[in-house]
PDB file of all heavy atoms in Angstrom:
ATOM      1  N   ALA A  42       5.471 241.112  -3.219  1.00 91.00           N
ATOM      2  CA  ALA A  42       5.491 241.974  -2.042  1.00 91.00           C
ATOM      3  C   ALA A  42       5.599 243.425  -2.490  1.00 91.00           C
ATOM      4  O   ALA A  42       6.039 243.716  -3.595  1.00 91.00           O
ATOM      5  CB  ALA A  42       6.683 241.602  -1.161  1.00 91.00           C
ATOM      6  N   ARG A  43       5.179 244.335  -1.633  1.00 88.00           N
ATOM      7  CA  ARG A  43       5.227 245.775  -1.923  1.00 88.00           C
ATOM      8  C   ARG A  43       6.315 246.428  -1.078  1.00 88.00           C
ATOM      9  O   ARG A  43       6.612 245.972   0.018  1.00 88.00           O
ATOM     10  CB  ARG A  43       3.887 246.441  -1.587  1.00 88.00           C
ATOM     11  CG  ARG A  43       2.690 245.856  -2.244  1.00 88.00           C
ATOM     12  CD  ARG A  43       2.237 246.448  -3.521  1.00 88.00           C
ATOM     13  NE  ARG A  43       2.417 247.848  -3.737  1.00 88.00           N
ATOM     14  CZ  ARG A  43       1.444 248.673  -4.098  1.00 88.00           C
ATOM     15  NH1 ARG A  43       0.216 248.231  -4.222  1.00 88.00           N
ATOM     16  NH2 ARG A  43       1.703 249.917  -4.367  1.00 88.00           N
ATOM     17  N   ALA A  44       6.872 247.491  -1.588  1.00 83.00           N
ATOM     18  CA  ALA A  44       7.821 248.305  -0.827  1.00 83.00           C
ATOM     19  C   ALA A  44       7.007 249.336  -0.058  1.00 83.00           C
ATOM     20  O   ALA A  44       6.246 250.085  -0.656  1.00 83.00           O
ATOM     21  CB  ALA A  44       8.797 248.982  -1.762  1.00 83.00           C
ATOM     22  N   GLU A  45       7.147 249.334   1.255  1.00 78.00           N
ATOM     23  CA  GLU A  45       6.385 250.244   2.102  1.00 78.00           C
ATOM     24  C   GLU A  45       7.329 251.008   3.025  1.00 78.00           C
ATOM     25  O   GLU A  45       7.906 250.422   3.925  1.00 78.00           O
ATOM     26  CB  GLU A  45       5.367 249.466   2.945  1.00 78.00           C
ATOM     27  CG  GLU A  45       4.328 248.742   2.119  1.00 78.00           C
ATOM     28  CD  GLU A  45       3.431 247.866   2.969  1.00 78.00           C
ATOM     29  OE1 GLU A  45       3.820 247.505   4.100  1.00 78.00           O
ATOM     30  OE2 GLU A  45       2.335 247.540   2.491  1.00 78.00           O
ATOM     31  N   ALA A  46       7.486 252.281   2.781  1.00 75.00           N
ATOM     32  CA  ALA A  46       8.299 253.163   3.627  1.00 75.00           C
ATOM     33  C   ALA A  46       9.683 252.580   3.892  1.00 75.00           C
ATOM     34  O   ALA A  46      10.145 252.511   5.029  1.00 75.00           O
ATOM     35  CB  ALA A  46       7.575 253.451   4.935  1.00 75.00           C
ATOM     36  N   GLY A  47      10.336 252.105   2.849  1.00 72.00           N
ATOM     37  CA  GLY A  47      11.693 251.595   2.979  1.00 72.00           C
ATOM     38  C   GLY A  47      11.809 250.164   3.448  1.00 72.00           C
ATOM     39  O   GLY A  47      12.905 249.639   3.573  1.00 72.00           O
ATOM     40  N   SER A  48      10.679 249.516   3.727  1.00 83.00           N
ATOM     41  CA  SER A  48      10.726 248.116   4.131  1.00 83.00           C
ATOM     42  C   SER A  48       9.817 247.305   3.210  1.00 83.00           C
ATOM     43  O   SER A  48       9.125 247.843   2.366  1.00 83.00           O
ATOM     44  CB  SER A  48      10.301 247.970   5.592  1.00 83.00           C
ATOM     45  OG  SER A  48       8.971 248.384   5.751  1.00 83.00           O
ATOM     46  N   CYS A  49       9.828 246.018   3.401  1.00 87.00           N
ATOM     47  CA  CYS A  49       9.066 245.120   2.535  1.00 87.00           C
ATOM     48  C   CYS A  49       7.783 244.664   3.231  1.00 87.00           C
ATOM     49  O   CYS A  49       7.782 244.410   4.436  1.00 87.00           O
ATOM     50  CB  CYS A  49       9.916 243.916   2.168  1.00 87.00           C
ATOM     51  SG  CYS A  49       9.164 242.858   0.923  1.00 87.00           S
ATOM     52  N   SER A  50       6.717 244.536   2.471  1.00 86.00           N
ATOM     53  CA  SER A  50       5.443 244.099   3.035  1.00 86.00           C
ATOM     54  C   SER A  50       5.456 242.634   3.462  1.00 86.00           C
ATOM     55  O   SER A  50       4.524 242.180   4.112  1.00 86.00           O
ATOM     56  CB  SER A  50       4.309 244.333   2.029  1.00 86.00           C
ATOM     57  OG  SER A  50       4.454 243.486   0.905  1.00 86.00           O
ATOM     58  N   CYS A  51       6.520 241.897   3.126  1.00 86.00           N
ATOM     59  CA  CYS A  51       6.593 240.492   3.537  1.00 86.00           C
ATOM     60  C   CYS A  51       6.834 240.360   5.035  1.00 86.00           C
ATOM     61  O   CYS A  51       6.636 239.284   5.599  1.00 86.00           O
ATOM     62  CB  CYS A  51       7.676 239.753   2.752  1.00 86.00           C
ATOM     63  SG  CYS A  51       9.377 240.187   3.179  1.00 86.00           S
ATOM     64  N   GLY A  52       7.280 241.443   5.675  1.00 84.00           N
ATOM     65  CA  GLY A  52       7.498 241.425   7.114  1.00 84.00           C
ATOM     66  C   GLY A  52       8.897 241.016   7.533  1.00 84.00           C
ATOM     67  O   GLY A  52       9.246 241.108   8.712  1.00 84.00           O
ATOM     68  N   GLU A  53       9.724 240.581   6.613  1.00 87.00           N
ATOM     69  CA  GLU A  53      11.094 240.180   6.917  1.00 87.00           C
ATOM     70  C   GLU A  53      11.941 241.443   7.124  1.00 87.00           C
ATOM     71  O   GLU A  53      12.108 242.230   6.196  1.00 87.00           O
ATOM     72  CB  GLU A  53      11.665 239.349   5.762  1.00 87.00           C
ATOM     73  CG  GLU A  53      13.073 238.854   5.969  1.00 87.00           C
ATOM     74  CD  GLU A  53      13.195 237.863   7.110  1.00 87.00           C
ATOM     75  OE1 GLU A  53      12.280 237.028   7.276  1.00 87.00           O
ATOM     76  OE2 GLU A  53      14.188 237.937   7.833  1.00 87.00           O
ATOM     77  N   PRO A  54      12.483 241.656   8.341  1.00 86.00           N
ATOM     78  CA  PRO A  54      13.232 242.890   8.603  1.00 86.00           C
ATOM     79  C   PRO A  54      14.463 243.051   7.715  1.00 86.00           C
ATOM     80  O   PRO A  54      14.828 244.159   7.354  1.00 86.00           O
ATOM     81  CB  PRO A  54      13.647 242.781  10.069  1.00 86.00           C
ATOM     82  CG  PRO A  54      12.966 241.596  10.635  1.00 86.00           C
ATOM     83  CD  PRO A  54      12.389 240.800   9.518  1.00 86.00           C
ATOM     84  N   ALA A  55      15.112 241.973   7.362  1.00 88.00           N
ATOM     85  CA  ALA A  55      16.319 242.038   6.536  1.00 88.00           C
ATOM     86  C   ALA A  55      16.043 241.514   5.128  1.00 88.00           C
ATOM     87  O   ALA A  55      16.878 240.826   4.544  1.00 88.00           O
ATOM     88  CB  ALA A  55      17.432 241.242   7.190  1.00 88.00           C
ATOM     89  N   CYS A  56      14.890 241.852   4.573  1.00 88.00           N
ATOM     90  CA  CYS A  56      14.514 241.373   3.239  1.00 88.00           C
ATOM     91  C   CYS A  56      15.547 241.846   2.210  1.00 88.00           C
ATOM     92  O   CYS A  56      15.828 243.045   2.128  1.00 88.00           O
ATOM     93  CB  CYS A  56      13.124 241.887   2.862  1.00 88.00           C
ATOM     94  SG  CYS A  56      12.575 241.333   1.241  1.00 88.00           S
ATOM     95  N   PRO A  57      16.116 240.926   1.420  1.00 87.00           N
ATOM     96  CA  PRO A  57      17.139 241.318   0.444  1.00 87.00           C
ATOM     97  C   PRO A  57      16.579 242.043  -0.782  1.00 87.00           C
ATOM     98  O   PRO A  57      17.319 242.707  -1.499  1.00 87.00           O
ATOM     99  CB  PRO A  57      17.773 239.985   0.040  1.00 87.00           C
ATOM    100  CG  PRO A  57      16.727 238.973   0.313  1.00 87.00           C
ATOM    101  CD  PRO A  57      15.921 239.493   1.472  1.00 87.00           C
ATOM    102  N   ALA A  58      15.285 241.928  -1.028  1.00 84.00           N
ATOM    103  CA  ALA A  58      14.681 242.563  -2.210  1.00 84.00           C
ATOM    104  C   ALA A  58      13.332 243.176  -1.838  1.00 84.00           C
ATOM    105  O   ALA A  58      12.285 242.688  -2.254  1.00 84.00           O
ATOM    106  CB  ALA A  58      14.512 241.542  -3.325  1.00 84.00           C
ATOM    107  N   PRO A  59      13.335 244.271  -1.066  1.00 84.00           N
ATOM    108  CA  PRO A  59      12.062 244.861  -0.638  1.00 84.00           C
ATOM    109  C   PRO A  59      11.182 245.268  -1.817  1.00 84.00           C
ATOM    110  O   PRO A  59      11.609 246.009  -2.698  1.00 84.00           O
ATOM    111  CB  PRO A  59      12.481 246.102   0.159  1.00 84.00           C
ATOM    112  CG  PRO A  59      13.916 245.901   0.496  1.00 84.00           C
ATOM    113  CD  PRO A  59      14.471 245.007  -0.561  1.00 84.00           C
ATOM    114  N   GLY A  60       9.980 244.716  -1.839  1.00 83.00           N
ATOM    115  CA  GLY A  60       9.020 245.055  -2.888  1.00 83.00           C
ATOM    116  C   GLY A  60       9.325 244.473  -4.249  1.00 83.00           C
ATOM    117  O   GLY A  60       8.754 244.897  -5.243  1.00 83.00           O
ATOM    118  N   ALA A  61      10.216 243.507  -4.327  1.00 85.00           N
ATOM    119  CA  ALA A  61      10.592 242.963  -5.639  1.00 85.00           C
ATOM    120  C   ALA A  61      10.738 241.445  -5.625  1.00 85.00           C
ATOM    121  O   ALA A  61      11.588 240.892  -6.312  1.00 85.00           O
ATOM    122  CB  ALA A  61      11.894 243.615  -6.109  1.00 85.00           C
ATOM    123  N   HIS A  62       9.919 240.768  -4.835  1.00 91.00           N
ATOM    124  CA  HIS A  62       9.966 239.305  -4.829  1.00 91.00           C
ATOM    125  C   HIS A  62       8.549 238.753  -4.723  1.00 91.00           C
ATOM    126  O   HIS A  62       7.643 239.412  -4.216  1.00 91.00           O
ATOM    127  CB  HIS A  62      10.849 238.784  -3.691  1.00 91.00           C
ATOM    128  CG  HIS A  62      10.350 239.131  -2.321  1.00 91.00           C
ATOM    129  ND1 HIS A  62       9.406 238.385  -1.665  1.00 91.00           N
ATOM    130  CD2 HIS A  62      10.660 240.157  -1.492  1.00 91.00           C
ATOM    131  CE1 HIS A  62       9.159 238.928  -0.479  1.00 91.00           C
ATOM    132  NE2 HIS A  62       9.906 240.013  -0.357  1.00 91.00           N
ATOM    133  N   PRO A  63       8.344 237.533  -5.223  1.00 93.00           N
ATOM    134  CA  PRO A  63       7.003 236.936  -5.182  1.00 93.00           C
ATOM    135  C   PRO A  63       6.549 236.658  -3.757  1.00 93.00           C
ATOM    136  O   PRO A  63       7.359 236.425  -2.866  1.00 93.00           O
ATOM    137  CB  PRO A  63       7.175 235.607  -5.942  1.00 93.00           C
ATOM    138  CG  PRO A  63       8.437 235.733  -6.694  1.00 93.00           C
ATOM    139  CD  PRO A  63       9.301 236.697  -5.946  1.00 93.00           C
ATOM    140  N   LEU A  64       5.236 236.690  -3.576  1.00 90.00           N
ATOM    141  CA  LEU A  64       4.643 236.284  -2.306  1.00 90.00           C
ATOM    142  C   LEU A  64       4.601 234.759  -2.282  1.00 90.00           C
ATOM    143  O   LEU A  64       4.151 234.137  -3.246  1.00 90.00           O
ATOM    144  CB  LEU A  64       3.224 236.847  -2.180  1.00 90.00           C
ATOM    145  CG  LEU A  64       3.116 238.367  -2.115  1.00 90.00           C
ATOM    146  CD1 LEU A  64       1.660 238.805  -2.235  1.00 90.00           C
ATOM    147  CD2 LEU A  64       3.741 238.886  -0.831  1.00 90.00           C
ATOM    148  N   ASP A  65       5.063 234.160  -1.200  1.00 88.00           N
ATOM    149  CA  ASP A  65       5.138 232.697  -1.111  1.00 88.00           C
ATOM    150  C   ASP A  65       3.785 232.019  -1.265  1.00 88.00           C
ATOM    151  O   ASP A  65       3.679 230.954  -1.849  1.00 88.00           O
ATOM    152  CB  ASP A  65       5.759 232.279   0.220  1.00 88.00           C
ATOM    153  CG  ASP A  65       7.220 232.687   0.329  1.00 88.00           C
ATOM    154  OD1 ASP A  65       7.871 232.838  -0.715  1.00 88.00           O
ATOM    155  OD2 ASP A  65       7.689 232.866   1.470  1.00 88.00           O
ATOM    156  N   PHE A  66       2.740 232.624  -0.730  1.00 88.00           N
ATOM    157  CA  PHE A  66       1.428 231.993  -0.688  1.00 88.00           C
ATOM    158  C   PHE A  66       0.582 232.251  -1.932  1.00 88.00           C
ATOM    159  O   PHE A  66      -0.437 231.614  -2.134  1.00 88.00           O
ATOM    160  CB  PHE A  66       0.657 232.473   0.543  1.00 88.00           C
ATOM    161  CG  PHE A  66       0.430 233.964   0.548  1.00 88.00           C
ATOM    162  CD1 PHE A  66      -0.657 234.520  -0.102  1.00 88.00           C
ATOM    163  CD2 PHE A  66       1.326 234.802   1.195  1.00 88.00           C
ATOM    164  CE1 PHE A  66      -0.856 235.886  -0.100  1.00 88.00           C
ATOM    165  CE2 PHE A  66       1.132 236.169   1.201  1.00 88.00           C
ATOM    166  CZ  PHE A  66       0.042 236.722   0.541  1.00 88.00           C
ATOM    167  N   ALA A  67       0.968 233.190  -2.775  1.00 89.00           N
ATOM    168  CA  ALA A  67       0.130 233.601  -3.908  1.00 89.00           C
ATOM    169  C   ALA A  67       0.403 232.736  -5.135  1.00 89.00           C
ATOM    170  O   ALA A  67       1.518 232.294  -5.367  1.00 89.00           O
ATOM    171  CB  ALA A  67       0.382 235.064  -4.230  1.00 89.00           C
TER     172      ALA A  67
END
Side-chain angles (χ1 to χ4, degrees):
R43 305 267 327 233
E45 297 174 339
S48 63
C49 188
S50 67
C51 71
E53 181 65 38
C56 181
H62 63 84
L64 295 170
D65 293 335
F66 61 86

